[in-house]
Amino acid sequence: KKSSGEILDHVAGKTGIPLSQIRGRKKTDEIVLARDMIIASLMYYKGFKEARIADEIGRDRTTVISAIERIRERRGGIKPLAKQVFES
């Protein structure tokens, strides 16, 4: 089983975006995608709820809820995005 830290580190390594930027305020498409990858992975692999995910990535719970909606509407869903993080 992957720890939450391993998930965050893996996404940072895969995307080439440092965790400091993923947790930061910037909203480039690449950074938002990295955050979405982390959110989907924490939900799918760890079963984390919105508030716990928000704590992990330094965001408000409502921001995470909006991201989950975006993942479901525009990125193919939670499970497919999470699997893409580790399988491609």
Side-chain angles (χ1 to χ4, degrees), residues 21-39:
Q21 286 188 25
I22 293 171
R23 288 186 168 126
R25 304 309 321 162
K26 273 190 176 172
K27 290 185 181 178
T28 66
D29 290 345
E30 294 80 11
I31 292 172
V32 171
L33 175 58
R35 282 184 200 127
D36 288 355
M37 293 166 89
I38 288 171
I39 290 166

Side-chain angles (χ1 to χ4, degrees), residues 8-22:
L8 271 69
D9 289 342
H10 181 80
V11 171
K14 185 179 180 95
T15 61
I17 300 170
L19 279 176
S20 60
Q21 286 188 25
I22 293 171

Side-chain angles (χ1 to χ4, degrees), residues 49-69:
K49 302 290 183 218
E50 292 90 345
R52 177 82 186 271
I53 294 168
D55 289 343
E56 291 281 343
I57 62 170
R59 286 287 175 286
D60 186 79
R61 188 179 70 89
T62 57
T63 304
V64 173
I65 291 168
S66 297
I68 291 166
E69 290 173 9

